[in-house]
Each structure stands twice: as C-alpha cells, then as structure tokens.
C-alpha cells in the first residue's frame, strides 16, 4: 500500500451555531452554495401581543385621519396641579407608575389621551382633567361597589 495516501473516513461539518453565523453564511455564498435564511419573528422573546387595529390606524395617520391629542388646556392644568403639590414631572410619573416622558407628552399636548393614565394623573394631582369642569378640584366621595 501507498504510505502517502490519506483516507478520511468521516469529516465533521460545522456545528449548528457555526452554520448560522454571518461568516459561515457569507463563506457559503462565496462558494456558490444555495443559502436559505429566514428570520423568526420575536423568537425567544415570548411575545404574545398582537398589533391592534388602533396601532395600524396610527401608522397610517394622515392630515384628514389623525388621532386626537390632549388639549393644551389639560396640559396646563396638569402642570399647575403638579407644581402646586411641589412635584417634578419625574415625581408625578413615579407616583402613577408611568415614565417621565409620558407626563412631558401630556403637559405639552403631544400625547394621545388614555383614560387610565388620565385617571391616575387626576387622582395624583387632585384636579379634574376630563369632562366639562376641567381644572376643578376632584371630589373624593365614598367608592360604590
């Protein structure tokens, strides 16, 4: 037999992780091999929320079809109520479990009104933000069941 001949019985291919790397994909493309890549949506993030119709409408927002924003009058009431209690935007946001940016958006009139957030802000500053008597003190009566 010829001692210079080498016989390879089994050659290991790249592991799954190596085969998926960007370098392995580029190398396979350079060699002219068929490469199929597919991106999994929200893979491994346990996403269970679907895009709501409202979000889709917001994406298609145009001049004639636009979402109502918080009136500037309400923003001023929030700002005055917050300052009368000696709170910063961050303090108010912490108190109602929202981000400071949310308070900034409401005060500047950029936010799309959310009744839950508006209710939290009303209770925190003690002033009405919805209805016809905006800016009036909030009546705290007994809660009905």
């Amino acid at each position: 037999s010829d001692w210079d001949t080498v016989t390879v019985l089994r050659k290991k291919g790249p592991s799954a992780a190596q085969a998926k790397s960007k370098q392995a994909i580029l190398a396979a493309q350079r060699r002219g091999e068929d490469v199929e890549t597919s991106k999994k949506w929200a893979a491994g993030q346990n996403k269970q929320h679907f895009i709501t119709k409202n979000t889709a409408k917001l994406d298609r927002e145009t001049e004639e079809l636009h979402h109502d924003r918080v009136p500037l009058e309400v923003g001023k009431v929030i700002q005055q109520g917050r300052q009368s209690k000696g709170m910063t935007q961050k303090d108010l946001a912490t108190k109602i479990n929202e981000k400071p940016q949310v308070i900034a958006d409401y005060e500047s009139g950029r936010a799309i009104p959310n009744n839950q957030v508006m209710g939290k802000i009303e209770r925190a500053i003690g002033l009405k933000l919805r209805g016809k008597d905006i800016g009036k003190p909030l009546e705290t009566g007994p809660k009905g069941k």
Side-chain angles (χ1 to χ4, degrees):
S1 74
D2 190 8
W3 290 100
D4 294 332
T5 311
V6 177
T7 306
V8 177
L9 297 175
R10 188 176 61 120
K11 187 175 183 182
K12 268 190 167 181
S15 70
Q18 290 170 336
K20 291 178 187 174
S21 74
K22 193 162 185 84
Q23 293 152 337
I25 292 169
L26 289 172
Q29 286 174 335
R30 279 195 296 271
R31 289 192 301 266
E33 296 174 13
D34 289 335
V35 177
E36 182 183 333
T37 58
S38 61
K39 185 162 176 75
K40 292 183 181 176
W41 182 78
Q45 294 178 7
N46 198 18
K47 292 245 180 178
Q48 297 171 352
H49 306 292
F50 296 103
I51 296 175
T52 60
K53 289 179 189 173
N54 211 20
T55 311
K57 271 187 193 174
L58 192 66
D59 290 341
R60 293 189 305 265
E61 188 172 292
T62 60
E63 286 300 316
E64 64 274 354
L65 171 76
H66 66 279
H67 285 267
D68 295 328
R69 304 272 187 234
V70 176
L72 269 174
E73 173 194 4
V74 173
K76 295 222 181 295
V77 170
I78 294 171
Q79 192 172 19
Q80 289 164 353
R82 173 178 61 77
Q83 288 170 341
S84 71
K85 297 239 183 218
M87 287 194 276
T88 63
Q89 286 182 345
K90 187 176 179 184
D91 295 336
L92 179 58
T94 305
K95 189 169 184 177
I96 67 166
N97 292 329
E98 291 290 343
K99 293 179 180 171
Q101 186 61 45
V102 172
I103 303 300
D105 288 345
Y106 271 85
E107 286 185 4
S108 65
R110 288 190 306 259
I112 296 170
N114 178 338
N115 277 330
Q116 277 187 313
V117 176
M118 296 281 270
K120 289 183 198 176
I121 296 172
E122 280 179 340
R123 287 189 296 277
I125 63 175
L127 297 173
K128 282 198 169 197
L129 301 175
R130 301 172 286 186
K132 55 184 178 282
D133 44 350
I134 293 172
K136 300 257 171 48
L138 199 61
E139 301 100 29
T140 52
K143 271 193 173 177
K145 287 191 178 180

